[in-house]
Amino acid sequence: MRWFGKNERREIWDEALQWPIGDIEAAKRIREICRSASDSAEKVRTVVGPPSGRKEKHHAERYERAARAAMEIAMKISDDLMRDAAVRQIVDLCVSANNLKTARILFRAIQAASIREAAFGDHPALRE
């Protein structure tokens, strides 16, 4: 509950989707999710060890929910190139949260050479 009787803000990844949606709409939704969660991902990056404070836990849970929702949507995209671009967005989110394990796993799913090379250029840590 927030001030003045307002309900807590709903996140974009918590909103129900009416399937089927097109590939373009799914990719747009993933981009919006990743942009919305980027602030929490940055805050998760600065935490050393497991999150201990209330705000740290909130940001960690928020980032994880967003990444999970984006991955679920990406699995349903049928166009290979569009799916690769969407997965690249999720990789960027994971790298910004310093979650390199998940980022590397997702990176291996990218098949388009141009998108892989662009990801390598932006995130050299993915080469390891």
Side-chain angles (χ1 to χ4, degrees), residues 8-9 11 16 18 31 34 37 43 46 48 54 56 63 72 83 98-99 101 108 110-112 114 117 119 125:
E8 194 164 321
R9 187 178 93 192
E11 302 290 354
Q18 297 298 323
R31 188 172 45 253
C34 291
K43 290 185 174 140
T46 61
V48 178
R54 189 169 144 233
E56 291 173 354
Y63 153 73
E72 289 173 3
R83 184 178 50 249
N98 204 25
N99 187 351
K101 180 181 176 184
R108 287 192 296 251
I110 298 174
Q111 298 172 0
S114 61
E117 289 304 315

Side-chain angles (χ1 to χ4, degrees), residues 25-95:
E25 184 64 31
K28 178 183 172 193
R29 181 75 165 220
I30 290 170
R31 188 172 45 253
E32 290 171 353
I33 289 171
C34 291
R35 285 183 183 159
S36 295
S38 64
D39 60 333
S40 288
E42 289 294 327
K43 290 185 174 140
V44 168
R45 177 186 202 107
T46 61
V47 175
V48 178
S52 58
R54 189 169 144 233
K55 282 190 175 186
E56 291 173 354
K57 287 180 183 177
H58 168 74
H59 287 295
E61 290 171 1
R62 187 172 183 261
Y63 153 73
E64 290 169 4
R65 282 193 335 261
R68 189 176 311 114
M71 286 183 240
E72 289 173 3
I73 295 169
M75 288 189 308
K76 296 177 182 176
I77 296 176
S78 60
D79 182 73
D80 293 337
L81 191 57
M82 198 162 297
R83 184 178 50 249
D84 287 348
V87 170
R88 168 68 159 49
Q89 295 282 325
I90 303 168
V91 168
D92 291 344
L93 179 68
C94 292
V95 169

